[in-house]
Amino acid sequence: ALVLFAIRVAFNKKAINKSLSFALLVVWLIGAAYSFYYTAKMTSQFKEHAEMVKTDELKSYPSYVIEVDNRVVFSKADSLALRIGENNFDVRIRIEKSENDKATMVQTYEANGETFTKALHNAQNISYSYKQKDSVLTLSPRLDLKQESIWRNQEVTITLNLPVGTHIFLNDDIYRYLQFYYYSCDDHNERNSNYREWVMTEDGLKCKAELDKPKEEVHP
């Protein structure tokens, strides 16, 4: 229709003959049919969901420094250029209270597929790396796919289970990857540092600066 309209405007002529118009309509219908077919086919590739879990025990320390690998992290400029929002990362990080007084990392790999078996296979083809050097834990902000793997909405959730009383120093770069929003830990003594100190309590992760604030007296 756009082509015919452009011809009519450019050359001040009426629409071309009915036979050619009918042929163009047939071509358009074939194209639309193929579009619907491949859209349905691609949608079926994401029909089933599967996940697998891997648990690693970490070396135990009274405090940890947790940061992301800056060699593979997206800068703010890259994030804006690629339109990557805070919820669009394929790696999520959670920090929770350990139930057995052991420090562990639980890696949950998720993927979709045409069948559950294929979805599970896609999850198994996820590769994720991290590094622990003494009490410094460096996490990768991105996952990798093994050779000949195709994208099927693969995601990784890293859950750090830490004992109560553990002190955690979080690099400012890690906050965008935390699955649950943590309010800003505004420590006046660490404003010139890229790290904020947190403490694992019975009620979960708390900002040490907030815990150190004197409690207000309640007057009758």
Side-chain angles (χ1 to χ4, degrees), residues 204-216:
L205 202 60
K206 301 292 183 182
C207 176
K208 186 176 184 300
E210 295 293 329
L211 294 175
D212 291 343
K213 286 184 178 180
K215 295 182 179 179
E216 296 182 359

Side-chain angles (χ1 to χ4, degrees), residues 95-101 162-166 168 198-207 211:
I95 304 176
E96 298 183 350
K97 182 183 72 172
S98 173
E99 300 297 337
N100 56 9
D101 292 329
L162 302 177
V164 172
T166 303
I168 303 104
W198 299 75
V199 181
M200 184 59 70
T201 70
E202 290 288 350
D203 298 323
L205 202 60
K206 301 292 183 182
C207 176
L211 294 175

